[in-house]
Amino acid sequence: MKNSKLVVGDVLLALMRIAVGWHFLYEGCWKLLQPEGWSCVSYLNVAQGPLAPVFTWMATQTWLVAFGDWSVMLGLVAIGLGLITGVLARYAALAGILLMALFYCCQPPEPFAHAVSGADGRFFVVERNVVEASALLLLASLPCWKGWLKTFLPGCAVLLVFGGLVYGQYRNGAFRKVEAVTSATVKVHEFTALKALKAPFAETNDLAGCSISALALGGDLIAGHSHARDLIWTDEFMRRYHTGGTLERTVRYSVFCGLSAAFVEPDAIERMAAAAKSVGGELAFFANCANGEDVALAVKNGARSIYLRPEVADERVRAGDGAGLTALLAALRQTGLPVGLGAESLETVKFAVEKGIVPDYWVVAFHSLDYPAATLKVAHNSIWCRDPEATAAYLKTRPEPWVAIRGLAGGAIKPEDAYRFARKHGAAVVAVDLLDYRIVETVNALVPAKKEVAK
């Protein structure tokens, strides 16, 4: 009876060894067979937890990424072969534990990091990497080799089956199109989207005493201001769209893609800051304030700077209320933060200058008129900048930097075109209202390819 129990134990141990080895081997083969190649850079870019800065730094080092790519791919294959055949299985198990530990440190579960939207499960402390590492620890602690006949030959038979199945998949086109990035880790759909990223956005400029990305995240859509002409339902749609984790995903994409600043309303800062921190990133927040309540909330939530909301400034100017505009800017100055002045109209900027009201920077509605609605004679709510050339010409006479907003003209202009147009005309920073799924696409249109960056 004792011997029969030992035999059953040996068989179950062998089956576990082969099953874990199969997983590792398939992961390695899947990566090696990708037609466009596989890279760990996307996984490093979505690092979370205490060690996230280390992994995201690694993602910026070309030689480390190349070394990591081949180490992971060949390591997975070698570990899988060792476990299935039993050859040096103990060392293969130890190497697998090390790999699982790296994966765990890069993407730890709660409470070490926030759960990533899109993961196929939520875990607390113990997750699938820990479970698989535990199995490997058991394999490393017990003798796996039972001889060539009992271990190696059955392993070779398994490899023949494995090879036939993988070859069949390959012939059927299973490796031609990447629908998701597999790994011996949590599968997150963000990896797939970020795999398409050529390189993070790298162009920066100084504003309000800090260096930020020249492409910043705008806050109109986040606040539910779509400016979508006659589509009156879109404001509510935008507000609902940015609930349930979408805003957090937008922030993560922004961080991964190199955007380091956001021009948003104060009540969005807390959520956005937490989302950036969850992946080891940080955003500089420029708060769009209309009143004292906004200012207090912006300061409380850690805004880097505050600026007077364009609609409020324009209203004061239309009323010819220079004293009121001066008082509003003075109230903002009391926070001790850098202060900007928003404007939808060039007349607001001119009025402020004439009254001696000089902010640290301007936040101006600015876009081209190269879209159908701009040619209509009737005033249209997608036209925020009636004369971009005159606006740019005047702002060039001012020493203060300026930020371009509402460059999409209510969705009539592509984000990359809006950015290029504003930068060409002198904007220091362009705050573009980007939805989560448009961020990678927009950055790719504005940055050189990976090979060009490497040069």
Side-chain angles (χ1 to χ4, degrees):
M1 179 67 68
K2 184 177 180 180
N3 289 336
S4 64
K5 288 183 177 180
L6 287 175
V7 171
V8 171
D10 288 343
V11 171
L12 293 176
L13 184 66
L15 289 175
M16 183 176 70
R17 170 174 54 80
I18 291 172
V20 175
W22 183 292
H23 179 210
F24 274 82
L25 183 58
Y26 179 77
E27 294 287 354
C29 290
W30 187 94
K31 291 171 173 59
L32 286 169
L33 291 173
Q34 286 302 305
E36 298 179 1
W38 174 87
S39 178
C40 65
V41 67
S42 299
Y43 187 70
L44 295 173
N45 271 325
V46 293
Q48 294 194 80
L51 296 179
V54 176
F55 290 105
T56 52
W57 171 82
M58 291 171 63
T60 66
Q61 307 301 307
T62 305
W63 70 272
L64 267 179
V65 171
F67 176 77
D69 290 346
W70 287 105
S71 296
V72 171
M73 290 188 290
L74 297 181
L76 287 170
V77 171
I79 292 169
L81 289 174
L83 291 174
I84 290 175
T85 62
V87 177
L88 301 177
R90 178 167 294 171
Y91 296 104
L94 292 173
I97 292 172
L98 177 60
L99 203 56
M100 293 295 100
L102 288 173
F103 291 153
Y104 187 92
C105 290
C106 188
Q107 282 289 334
E110 294 176 334
F112 308 112
H114 295 282
V116 179
S117 174
D120 55 0
R122 291 174 65 94
F123 305 95
F124 184 78
V125 182
V126 177
E127 41 86 83
R128 55 172 60 83
N129 288 318
V130 175
V131 174
E132 195 156 29
S134 300
L136 290 170
L137 184 61
L138 177 62
L139 292 172
S141 65
L142 297 174
C144 295
W145 181 259
K146 300 296 181 180
W148 294 97
L149 182 62
K150 292 183 178 180
T151 306
F152 183 74
L153 288 181
C156 289
V158 171
L159 289 179
L160 287 175
V161 175
F162 176 89
L165 293 174
V166 170
Y167 179 72
Q169 270 196 307
Y170 184 80
R171 286 291 300 272
N172 291 330
F175 296 95
R176 291 176 188 170
K177 183 179 180 181
V178 179
E179 298 293 347
V181 177
T182 66
S183 63
T185 58
V186 178
K187 296 178 182 177
V188 182
H189 79 274
E190 281 158 294
F191 302 163
T192 307
L194 291 170
K195 183 176 174 59
L197 182 66
K198 295 177 182 178
F201 189 86
E203 190 173 353
T204 61
N205 225 328
D206 292 329
L207 187 73
C210 67
S211 178
I212 61 174
S213 58
L215 174 64
L217 185 63
D220 278 348
L221 293 182
I222 292 172
H225 308 312
S226 63
H227 309 304
R229 297 177 290 281
D230 299 326
L231 302 178
I232 58 177
W233 54 270
T234 55
D235 285 0
E236 178 64 19
F237 175 80
M238 283 295 103
R239 281 190 286 272
R240 296 191 180 207
Y241 182 80
H242 285 100
T243 61
T246 304
L247 176 58
E248 285 75 10
R249 184 165 60 248
T250 297
V251 172
R252 290 194 298 269
Y253 273 54
S254 298
V255 171
F256 302 149
C257 292
L259 277 61
S260 61
F263 289 72
V264 295
E265 295 189 5
D267 58 1
I269 294 177
E270 187 174 15
R271 280 179 63 195
M272 295 177 70
K277 186 178 180 181
S278 73
V279 289
E282 185 178 4
L283 288 176
F285 292 101
F286 293 73
N288 179 11
C289 297
N291 50 45
E293 184 179 344
D294 284 347
V295 172
L297 186 58
V299 173
K300 175 186 175 183
N301 289 341
R304 179 65 181 78
S305 173
I306 54 180
Y307 65 95
L308 185 62
R309 186 166 298 173
E311 298 88 341
V312 175
D314 288 349
E315 183 180 357
R316 294 289 182 177
V317 171
R318 283 193 295 269
D321 187 6
L325 188 60
T326 300
L328 287 171
L329 265 291
L332 298 185
R333 291 282 186 196
Q334 290 179 3
T335 64
L337 297 174
V339 171
L341 177 59
E344 291 179 355
S345 168
L346 176 59
E347 298 309 312
T348 297
V349 178
K350 291 181 177 180
F351 181 89
V353 172
E354 290 171 2
K355 298 296 181 181
I357 305 171
V358 181
D360 296 306
Y361 59 92
W362 307 93
V363 181
V364 182
F366 188 83
H367 57 73
S368 75
L369 299 178
D370 187 22
Y371 58 98
T375 64
L376 297 176
K377 294 182 179 179
V378 179
H380 210 286
N381 70 345
S382 68
I383 305 176
W384 301 101
C385 185
R386 294 286 172 181
D387 193 340
E389 299 298 331
T391 300
Y394 182 80
L395 289 171
K396 284 181 181 179
T397 68
R398 300 299 310 164
E400 305 84 26
W402 61 281
V403 179
I405 60 172
R406 299 182 185 166
L408 304 184
I413 299 172
K414 291 182 179 180
E416 55 269 27
D417 292 340
Y419 175 83
R420 293 190 183 103
F421 183 78
R423 289 287 285 156
K424 176 184 175 182
H425 285 79
V429 176
V430 185
V432 181
D433 293 285
L434 293 169
L435 297 175
D436 53 343
Y437 61 87
R438 288 298 303 273
I439 296 175
V440 171
E441 178 183 333
T442 299
V443 171
N444 279 348
L446 295 172
V447 301
K450 290 180 181 177
K451 293 182 179 179
E452 295 176 30
V453 172
K455 292 178 182 178

